[in-house]
Amino acid sequence: MQLIVLQLYWSGSLTLHLIFNGGSSLHRPSERSGEDVDIILTRLREVKAFQRFPPPLLLQICACAFYECLEKGITLFRQGDIGTSWYAVLSGSLDVKVSETANHQDAVTICTLGIGTAFGESILDNTPRHATIVSRETSELLRIEQREFKSLWEKYRQSLAGLLAPPYGAMESGSNNDKKLQRAGKVLRNAILSRAPHMIRDRKYHLKTYRQCCVGTELVDWLVLQSACVLTRSHAVGMWQALLEEGVLNHVDQELGFQDKYLFYRFLDDEEEDTPLPSEEEKRESEDELPETILFLAQIGPDALLRMILRKSPGQRTGDDLEIIYDELLHIKALAHLSNTVKRELASVVIFESHAKAGTVLFNQGEEGTSWYIIQKGSVNVVIYGKGVVCTLHEGDDFGKLALVTDSPRAASIEDFNRILRDVEANTVRLKEHEQAVLVLEKSPRASTLGSIKYTVISGTPEKILEHFLETMRMDIHHNPAVDDFVLMHCVFMPNSQLCPLLMAQYPSCLYSLSLSQERLEYALNSKRRALILTLRWANAHTYLLQEEPAAISFLEELYGSLSNDSRMLRALKDLAPDLEKIVKSQRFLHVIEQKTLIRQFSNGEERLQKKQPIRNQDDILLKVYCSDHTYTTIRIAVASTGREVINSVADKLGTTDELVLVHLSSAGEKHILRPNDVSVFSTLSINGRLFACPRDQLNSLTSLPDQEGPSAGSMSTFELMSSKDLAYQMTMFDWELFSCVHEHELLYHTFGRQSFRRTTANLDLFLRRFNQVQLWVVTEVCLCGQLSKRVQLLKKFIKIAAHCREFKNLNSFFAIIMGMSNPAVSRLSQTWEKLPTKFKKFYAEFESMMDPSRNHRSYRLTVTKLEPPIIPFMPLLLKDMTFTHEGNKTFIDSMVNFEKMRIIANTIRQVRHCRSQAFNPDVCQPNKNQSEVRGYVRKLCVIDNQRALTQLSYRLEPRRT
């Protein structure tokens, strides 16, 4: 068990990211369709606690479990109740309260249950509940009734025991990686002796000879060159640190931390004299095992590096060390409510504890509180005198806050956190108007290059934040992150209709009076320049979106007129006039185009083959809407139309007075009624989904169209003749077009809810839809391939295409292909995978490691940092980051904008900007003769999007083994 110990005091609430957006598909078991089971299975796989369950157990849970959603403050059951159900937490968190008396009002919170924790196993022997469970926030639970849980317990006791507290659950003991680490040390030693034997030799230093040693920097150099899995030098340091902790590698002076320096290290096999060299057979075995060994170490290396850093005393931690700890603290749910400044300060005081022996008591009931613990790895049982184990906490959960709050004595280490809070408060400046705070600034720990004090905006009213940026803007700096944050995020808290008049007001009226003092003239000039610079940045950030707001265009025209007059008299403004003129002219040009309303074809999910252009709110689409008898009508309607407007248009076209409902019907027959205020409903359809309009009483009679089922035969005969590189190249070209069309603000609309902006996210929706389409293309082709040898060829083909996508830095399609191969309908085809050559299995294992979600997708994030643009990123993860920030932090605090939240979200969006900062080079791949054929194929992928149908096809190919 490994803990990050926050020896501090904090009583704030914990805000967790909800992993499920929208409702659930957990209907009553008797009413549950195969599609429901597929959806539940997909969601359960997202919860780490369920990932180790065998597929049969997961499927049975999907079939018998119920879904419960609790609002904040709801009591699920009380201490002393006789239980009837077992629960697992899917999202949110719940407080565990225990009372020593019969009065429930005396109950004290002893811990908090987070995502992946389970409770309620007292139903196995019908004992009373040991504690009261109250939802700390809106939480989603999986509930299994007593009879079904007992049945599952009898069949899958060993798997379920990992989630339960003793006596039913198993106490954890030691690491399962010990033997693998020992073998890893042998493999690396043998590989070095085979590939670079000069690295292991006797070395002299300060008149002393060290036998059979390696140098730290040489070990890091060698490991970085062996595999793309080793992402940075610090990553390699962590991998060697993992071996050092196990004693497989040792420092000659027994130091506990591996360093990328001229220090000597010795493999365990070289500790004794006359250790024999590996035989040729052992070298060959090590060569075969080396890729898998490096992959294993690459996965555990970051944790080892973090442990090494946290074991250092605060005074010994370097700047790089503090950045690594800070990055870790950013992704700990128990710290989500703290400001980034506090997290940076915490990086220097957090302490690491490791308890390898199961049953170790961390503290006893009634003892004085000195620490707040967060579980990094392993689990902790919470025991109450006379009641036994009341719950088990897992990775990410925290405990010990209550004691810190209620106990009056304070350990010296608690003062660290109090000091941090005091320092932060001392460096905070609050500006007030009429006794109300209107702007909160924090003194930056680093002074500016000019030595003056620099302040960071923490929160404030929109107007005061704008005023602050205009007053403090440096005009000699082209890139100002704080101003960029405001320009990008202002639509969340200050619409253009409010911003434009304020910017115009910040541009003072013409002041040409001869009596005007030089000081006042300088002030007026600077005010004008700042307003102009901010306006230029604002207009460049919005681009074509400004066309949707006539008031914004009028503002630019008015400002340009004022600038034209001023620049004749004031030379200091002339240099800005061309930039503003260019923007005004481009908007006039766009306005002319706007008069010729573009018509988008969007029917049956088919995409036209010409180069993609951004879809705008004002564009019209031709949309097919079906009736219950499978006839359809085509309507022309604006992209951003609401569900109500679509229904009204359909009713007018059909000439009906019936009250209609708009329904999204999936290929599996699942019906979803769209709400009247849903915006841009066409772009949210599933790949083979269709829009239906019918009276409510015909809802149950709706059936899917035949063409929604997808293809009945695979297209391998078509694309097996196309080169893998050409396929990957054309996929990347198409993905780049889609990605380039996504406006940065669409990410905001998606995160904060496009209904509130009345804006379309159609370009983002189509880009995300492409990810799903490529993923399902892989599954569809494999499941429609009836010949075993052909399926093996297919897997090889997809692995090659994925490799080329990674080469082209198309991480979106790369991930889609690998996730398609990980789909249960493909991954269960054991006969097919057994026939796959070992080389391709190793490639696939390496690719899968990049998808490892542990440590907040650390492997993927490190990979991206090594790439230069252009990059097509894994968009679902960027959206997850933004949603995590949005759900975990309030947008307004005391009626002021939480600008810290805006800054974090803007940083995520800047990653998208960085990925597109260089144009994709179409000459990166020399086209072959059949490029047009390849291009046409990848842009019109036909897929089956019904998971149940794919699973059935999979079982026909390889029936379940009995």
Side-chain angles (χ1 to χ4, degrees):
M1 176 181 63
Q2 296 165 4
L3 305 169
I4 293 179
V5 187
L6 300 173
Q7 296 199 317
L8 42 84
Y9 165 61
W10 183 254
S11 59
S13 62
L14 303 181
T15 313
L16 305 181
H17 168 51
L18 301 179
I19 57 175
F20 300 144
N21 293 322
S24 172
S25 294
L26 296 178
H27 305 138
R28 295 188 64 81
S30 60
E31 302 169 355
R32 205 163 290 163
S33 67
E35 184 76 9
D36 289 336
V37 172
D38 294 335
I39 292 172
I40 301 165
L41 182 62
T42 301
R43 290 185 175 181
L44 289 187
R45 288 181 187 276
E46 294 176 0
V47 181
K48 191 168 185 179
F50 293 110
Q51 289 174 359
R52 58 177 177 267
F53 281 8
L57 172 56
L58 278 176
L59 286 172
Q60 289 199 37
I61 290 176
C62 292
C64 71
F66 290 82
Y67 168 84
E68 288 198 13
C69 184
L70 305 181
E71 296 294 327
K72 179 180 178 181
I74 300 298
T75 299
L76 184 64
F77 55 73
R78 293 189 181 279
Q79 182 178 335
D81 292 349
I82 299 298
T84 58
S85 301
W86 176 82
Y87 299 88
V89 184
L90 298 178
S91 74
S93 56
L94 302 99
D95 286 332
V96 179
K97 297 174 176 284
V98 173
S99 174
E100 297 296 333
T101 68
N103 189 349
H104 295 300
Q105 294 179 342
D106 296 336
V108 175
T109 302
I110 58 170
C111 63
T112 301
L113 302 174
I115 298 169
T117 51
F119 56 95
E121 57 270 20
S122 62
I123 60 173
L124 289 171
D125 55 10
N126 293 318
T127 55
R129 300 291 197 190
H130 300 313
T132 298
I133 304 292
V134 181
S135 55
R136 189 181 187 88
E137 59 188 315
T138 300
S139 303
E140 293 179 299
L141 306 178
L142 188 86
R143 175 172 64 85
I144 300 179
E145 295 184 344
Q146 185 177 37
R147 181 166 57 85
E148 283 76 15
F149 186 73
K150 282 186 174 181
S151 174
L152 291 175
W153 177 253
E154 290 177 7
K155 293 169 69 175
Y156 302 102
R157 180 188 301 249
Q158 188 171 358
S159 297
L160 286 168
L163 280 182
L164 307 187
Y168 310 107
M171 297 287 282
E172 291 194 12
S173 60
S175 170
N176 296 324
N177 291 332
D178 294 355
K179 291 182 180 179
K180 291 181 72 175
L181 282 166
Q182 291 170 8
R183 179 59 189 165
K186 286 184 178 295
V187 168
L188 290 179
R189 175 180 178 269
N190 292 345
I192 289 173
L193 289 171
S194 176
R195 298 183 177 190
H198 64 278
M199 287 176 57
I200 303 178
R201 66 178 190 270
D202 293 349
R203 299 176 186 268
K204 289 186 178 180
Y205 189 70
H206 285 187
L207 303 179
K208 185 176 180 180
T209 300
Y210 297 89
R211 292 188 54 263
Q212 295 299 94
C213 294
C214 306
V215 172
T217 50
E218 292 180 5
L219 287 174
V220 172
D221 290 338
W222 182 83
L223 196 54
V224 167
L225 293 174
Q226 301 311 305
S227 171
C229 291
V230 187
L231 303 170
T232 61
R233 294 188 70 84
S234 63
H235 190 189
V237 168
M239 294 163 71
W240 289 118
Q241 176 65 26
L243 296 174
L244 193 73
E245 290 178 349
E246 188 58 28
V248 178
L249 184 75
N250 294 297
H251 185 272
V252 293
D253 292 330
Q254 304 307 308
E255 290 186 12
L256 299 178
F258 184 90
Q259 296 186 62
D260 185 7
K261 294 182 178 179
Y262 192 80
L263 299 175
F264 298 154
Y265 297 90
R266 185 183 296 122
F267 284 98
L268 182 62
D269 287 347
D270 291 319
E271 291 287 347
E272 298 180 7
E273 293 188 21
D274 302 323
T275 302
L277 294 173
S279 64
E280 290 303 314
E281 183 179 353
E282 287 176 323
K283 287 183 179 180
R284 281 195 300 273
E285 288 179 354
S286 294
E287 285 292 332
D288 290 340
E289 292 181 43
L290 185 61
E292 189 176 344
T293 297
I294 292 177
L295 185 60
F296 164 65
L297 291 173
Q299 290 170 336
I300 65 173
D303 285 343
L305 179 65
L306 181 65
R307 288 193 297 269
M308 179 184 77
I309 293 170
L310 288 172
R311 285 191 177 103
K312 294 181 182 180
S313 66
Q316 293 179 321
R317 295 174 186 173
T318 65
D320 289 340
D321 291 344
L322 294 176
E323 281 300 315
I324 290 173
I325 301 172
Y326 171 69
D327 184 63
E328 187 72 20
L329 298 183
L330 281 177
H331 304 123
I332 292 179
K333 62 187 181 183
L335 305 179
H337 59 286
L338 299 177
S339 72
N340 286 344
T341 303
V342 172
K343 289 173 189 171
R344 283 198 177 277
E345 294 294 328
L346 287 178
S348 63
V349 299
V350 292
I351 300 170
F352 178 80
E353 280 189 19
S354 179
H355 300 278
K357 186 178 178 182
T360 302
V361 176
L362 293 177
F363 55 79
N364 290 304
Q365 186 176 340
E367 290 181 348
E368 295 175 357
T370 60
S371 301
W372 174 17
Y373 297 87
I374 296 172
I375 302 173
Q376 188 191 23
K377 188 176 181 182
S379 60
V380 173
N381 294 318
V382 179
V383 181
I384 300 296
Y385 294 152
K387 294 180 177 63
V389 177
V390 296
C391 66
T392 300
L393 306 177
H394 297 273
E395 180 179 328
D397 293 327
D398 66 297
F399 60 96
K401 292 191 303 294
L402 186 74
L404 298 183
V405 176
T406 56
D407 291 343
S408 52
R410 294 279 174 246
S413 54
I414 300 301
E415 290 304 316
D416 283 334
F417 190 59
N418 287 331
R419 173 185 55 77
I420 290 171
L421 292 182
R422 285 197 302 270
D423 289 348
V424 169
E425 184 61 29
N427 287 315
T428 300
V429 176
R430 286 177 170 80
L431 304 182
K432 295 185 177 182
E433 288 183 357
H434 307 296
E435 302 302 318
Q436 288 288 325
V438 292
L439 189 65
V440 179
L441 304 173
E442 186 176 80
K443 190 185 297 182
S444 174
R446 303 179 183 89
S448 71
T449 53
L450 298 178
S452 58
I453 297 175
K454 188 176 179 181
Y455 289 93
T456 302
V457 175
I458 301 300
S459 61
T461 63
E463 295 82 1
K464 290 300 176 184
I465 293 174
L466 175 61
E467 285 180 17
H468 172 78
F469 286 138
L470 286 169
E471 287 174 4
T472 58
M473 183 187 296
R474 290 272 305 279
M475 288 179 285
D476 58 333
I477 297 177
H478 293 292
H479 177 64
N480 188 323
V483 174
D484 287 344
D485 292 343
F486 178 87
V487 165
L488 180 60
M489 299 298 300
H490 80 83
C491 61
V492 174
F493 54 85
M494 177 189 268
N496 285 330
S497 59
Q498 184 181 352
L499 175 65
C500 292
L502 287 173
L503 281 174
M504 200 66 217
Q506 293 293 328
Y507 189 85
S509 301
C510 301
L511 298 170
Y512 306 133
S513 171
L514 295 175
S515 62
L516 194 65
S517 68
Q518 184 66 27
E519 184 179 345
R520 290 187 63 193
L521 181 61
E522 286 291 332
Y523 178 81
L525 275 172
N526 286 335
S527 297
K528 288 175 181 287
R529 286 188 65 85
R530 291 189 179 108
L532 285 167
I533 290 170
L534 197 145
T535 299
L536 290 171
R537 290 178 180 173
W538 164 78
N540 284 322
H542 282 70
T543 59
Y544 62 82
L545 293 185
L546 291 177
Q547 278 302 311
E548 299 165 9
E549 299 190 50
I553 302 298
S554 299
F555 158 67
L556 286 172
E557 294 276 6
E558 182 183 355
L559 184 63
Y560 178 58
S562 298
L563 176 60
S564 298
N565 291 331
D566 287 351
S567 58
R568 296 191 192 101
M569 302 293 295
L570 304 171
R571 292 184 178 181
L573 297 177
K574 283 187 176 181
D575 60 322
L576 295 175
D579 293 333
L580 187 58
E581 181 183 22
K582 183 178 178 181
I583 289 172
V584 170
K585 285 184 176 180
S586 69
Q587 292 299 327
R588 287 172 182 165
F589 175 72
L590 285 171
H591 184 65
V592 172
I593 295 177
E594 193 65 30
Q595 304 308 309
K596 305 171 184 177
T597 307
L598 297 177
I599 301 176
R600 303 285 180 176
Q601 294 282 352
F602 196 95
S603 58
N604 299 345
E606 295 176 0
E607 297 297 337
R608 294 158 73 187
L609 295 183
Q610 70 263 30
K611 184 176 179 180
K612 302 298 295 181
Q613 297 295 327
I615 298 173
R616 298 173 298 171
N617 261 31
Q618 305 299 326
D619 291 343
D620 281 355
I621 56 168
L622 295 178
L623 188 62
K624 280 185 179 179
V625 183
Y626 292 83
C627 302
S628 55
D629 61 357
H630 287 190
T631 60
Y632 67 86
T633 183
T634 302
I635 60 173
R636 176 174 170 171
I637 199 162
V639 163
S641 297
T642 62
R644 180 181 292 105
E645 289 167 339
V646 172
I647 281 292
N648 291 340
S649 182
V650 171
D652 289 344
K653 192 79 177 286
L654 296 176
T656 180
T657 57
D658 293 340
E659 185 177 343
L660 303 178
V661 291
L662 193 63
V663 183
H664 171 211
L665 185 65
S666 73
S667 58
E670 187 180 50
K671 306 174 187 72
H672 173 60
I673 299 177
L674 298 171
R675 295 170 298 184
N677 65 334
D678 284 345
V679 177
S680 189
V681 294
F682 81 95
S683 65
T684 59
L685 294 177
S686 58
I687 292 171
N688 291 339
R690 299 290 183 268
L691 275 181
F692 279 74
C694 67
R696 191 173 289 274
D697 59 6
Q698 294 180 14
L699 194 59
N700 293 332
S701 64
L702 291 183
T703 57
S704 303
L705 300 166
D707 69 345
Q708 286 186 254
E709 294 179 5
S712 57
S715 60
M716 184 184 178
S717 59
T718 301
F719 78 87
E720 71 177 338
L721 301 177
M722 303 172 184
S723 89
S724 300
K725 190 168 187 177
D726 286 347
L727 284 163
Y729 171 73
Q730 288 297 338
M731 291 173 72
T732 301
M733 286 289 288
F734 188 43
D735 287 359
W736 182 257
E737 288 176 21
L738 292 170
F739 179 45
S740 299
C741 289
V742 178
H743 196 281
E744 293 172 351
H745 282 159
E746 289 189 66
L747 280 74
L748 293 178
Y749 305 153
H750 181 279
T751 302
F752 288 85
R754 60 187 179 184
Q755 276 73 23
S756 57
F757 295 93
R758 187 68 193 278
R759 299 288 185 199
T760 182
T761 57
N763 299 295
L764 177 59
D765 293 338
L766 293 180
F767 185 48
L768 295 172
R769 175 198 188 94
R770 176 63 177 180
F771 178 88
N772 295 332
Q773 188 180 42
V774 171
Q775 185 180 171
L776 287 165
W777 169 58
V778 173
V779 188
T780 299
E781 293 298 334
V782 173
C783 290
L784 289 176
C785 185
Q787 193 176 339
L788 178 60
S789 60
K790 288 284 189 183
R791 284 201 303 279
V792 175
Q793 291 302 314
L794 258 180
L795 291 185
K796 290 169 62 178
K797 186 84 170 179
F798 285 131
I799 290 171
K800 287 178 183 178
I801 295 171
H804 287 302
C805 283
R806 189 174 71 165
E807 176 189 343
F808 295 139
K809 295 179 281 192
N810 180 359
L811 301 180
N812 207 59
S813 281
F814 169 78
F815 269 81
I817 292 169
I818 300 305
M819 288 181 72
M821 298 178 73
S822 303
N823 186 285
V826 177
S827 62
R828 65 163 297 279
L829 299 173
S830 55
Q831 296 172 39
T832 308
W833 286 96
E834 286 167 5
K835 296 285 186 181
L836 189 68
T838 302
K839 179 176 75 171
F840 284 89
K841 288 180 182 176
K842 289 179 179 177
F843 283 144
Y844 178 69
E846 178 187 329
F847 294 164
E848 264 200 322
S849 73
M850 276 185 63
M851 294 172 53
D852 181 13
S854 63
R855 320 306 301 155
N856 195 32
H857 296 270
R858 185 197 299 272
S859 180
Y860 166 78
R861 295 180 194 279
L862 287 173
T863 299
V864 174
T865 59
K866 292 180 69 175
L867 299 178
E868 293 294 328
I871 305 165
I872 305 177
F874 179 39
M875 185 60 77
L877 183 58
L878 288 170
L879 293 174
K880 176 190 169 189
D881 289 345
M882 292 178 64
T883 306
F884 179 91
T885 303
H886 175 49
E887 297 284 356
N889 300 273
K890 295 179 180 178
T891 301
F892 293 92
I893 301 174
D894 297 331
S895 300
M896 292 186 293
V897 178
N898 180 2
F899 204 74
E900 281 231 311
K901 173 179 177 175
M902 304 299 115
R903 187 176 291 111
I904 298 169
I905 292 178
N907 279 333
T908 303
I909 296 178
R910 259 195 284 273
Q911 294 175 36
V912 173
R913 189 179 294 176
H914 169 72
C915 290
R916 298 192 295 205
S917 59
Q918 298 293 327
F920 180 72
N921 180 12
D923 300 326
V924 71
C925 180
Q926 291 300 319
N928 292 330
K929 292 180 181 179
N930 65 340
Q931 280 298 300
S932 59
E933 184 184 352
V934 178
R935 183 172 183 268
Y937 176 80
V938 301
R939 289 171 183 246
K940 295 185 70 173
L941 300 176
C942 297
V943 303
I944 300 170
D945 68 347
N946 182 345
Q947 182 64 40
R948 185 180 186 184
L950 291 167
T951 303
Q952 289 173 346
L953 288 169
S954 175
Y955 278 112
R956 284 182 204 164
L957 296 175
E958 294 186 23
R960 185 184 285 109
R961 292 178 178 177
T962 57

